[in-house]
Amino acid sequence: MRPDIDILVNNAGDIPGGSIDKIDEATWRHAWELKVLRYINLTRAIYAQMKARGHGVIINDIGAAGEKFDANYICGSAGNAALMAFTRALGGKSLADNIRVVGINPGPVGTDRHVTLAEDAREKPVRRREPLQGIPEGTAARPPRPRPRDRRT
C-alpha cells in the first residue's frame, strides 16, 4: 500500500434491497464484507499511514439509508448506520492526529444499480390499507395532546 495517500474516499456497495425475511445470512455477510468491513479495514490501514505523516482526510460516502431507515432495505440501512457510527467515533478523536474523518449521506443517484432497485420496487404490488373498524375512512387517529406541565416556582 502506498504510504503517501493524503485523501481516502471510501465508496463501495452492492447491498441488495429486501426485508429481514428476504435477506439470508450469506447475502447479508457478503454485503457487509464488501461495504462495512472494507471501509473499516481500508481506513485502519490508511489512517495509520496518515497518522505517521501527521495529516490526512478520510471521506466515507455512506448513503442515505443511514439517515432514513427502510425495512425493505434493512441490510443497507443497518450497514450504513454502522458506518455512520464508525465515522463519527473515529472523527471524534482524529483531529488530535491532524486527520479529518467525515461521512456523507447523499440521496439517490441515477446509477445502474439504483435504477434496478427502483424498478424492482415498482414491480411489487402495493397493499391497500383497510380502514380500522369503527373509524370512518379518511379520519386520522390523533394522539392525545400533551398536558401542560405544572409550573411551580
Side-chain angles (χ1 to χ4, degrees):
M1 203 165 299
R2 295 180 51 153
D4 59 349
I5 296 172
D6 293 317
I7 301 172
L8 168 64
V9 178
N10 281 313
N11 181 24
D14 189 18
I15 298 179
S19 58
I20 189 78
D21 56 328
K22 303 292 185 214
I23 306 293
D24 62 30
E25 182 177 350
T27 302
W28 197 297
R29 285 182 181 276
H30 172 75
W32 275 42
E33 176 67 36
L34 175 66
K35 186 166 186 175
V36 179
L37 294 174
R38 287 193 185 163
Y39 273 43
I40 292 168
N41 289 333
L42 187 56
T43 297
R44 290 173 62 229
I46 301 301
Y47 190 97
Q49 295 171 8
M50 290 176 171
K51 184 175 178 178
R53 285 195 342 271
H55 64 89
V57 177
I58 298 171
I59 302 168
N60 290 329
D61 182 351
I62 299 167
E67 289 283 352
K68 185 179 180 204
F69 304 130
D70 183 348
N72 289 314
Y73 185 57
I74 195 160
C75 185
S77 291
N80 287 359
L83 285 173
M84 288 174 62
F86 169 75
T87 301
R88 289 177 179 165
L90 184 59
K93 80 149 217 72
S94 66
L95 291 178
D97 296 325
N98 200 32
I99 301 170
R100 285 185 293 157
V101 178
V102 297
I104 60 171
N105 298 84
V109 177
T111 62
D112 289 343
R113 178 178 175 275
H114 186 266
V115 170
T116 300
L117 287 172
E119 288 170 353
D120 289 348
R122 277 195 296 272
E123 291 175 7
K124 294 177 184 167
V126 177
R127 192 179 104 210
R128 180 168 160 34
R129 292 179 137 188
E130 298 298 324
L132 294 174
Q133 259 185 339
I135 299 177
E137 191 168 354
T139 304
R142 295 184 186 172
R145 291 181 182 227
R147 302 173 102 189
R149 292 185 184 180
D150 284 341
R151 294 185 190 233
R152 296 181 183 159
T153 56

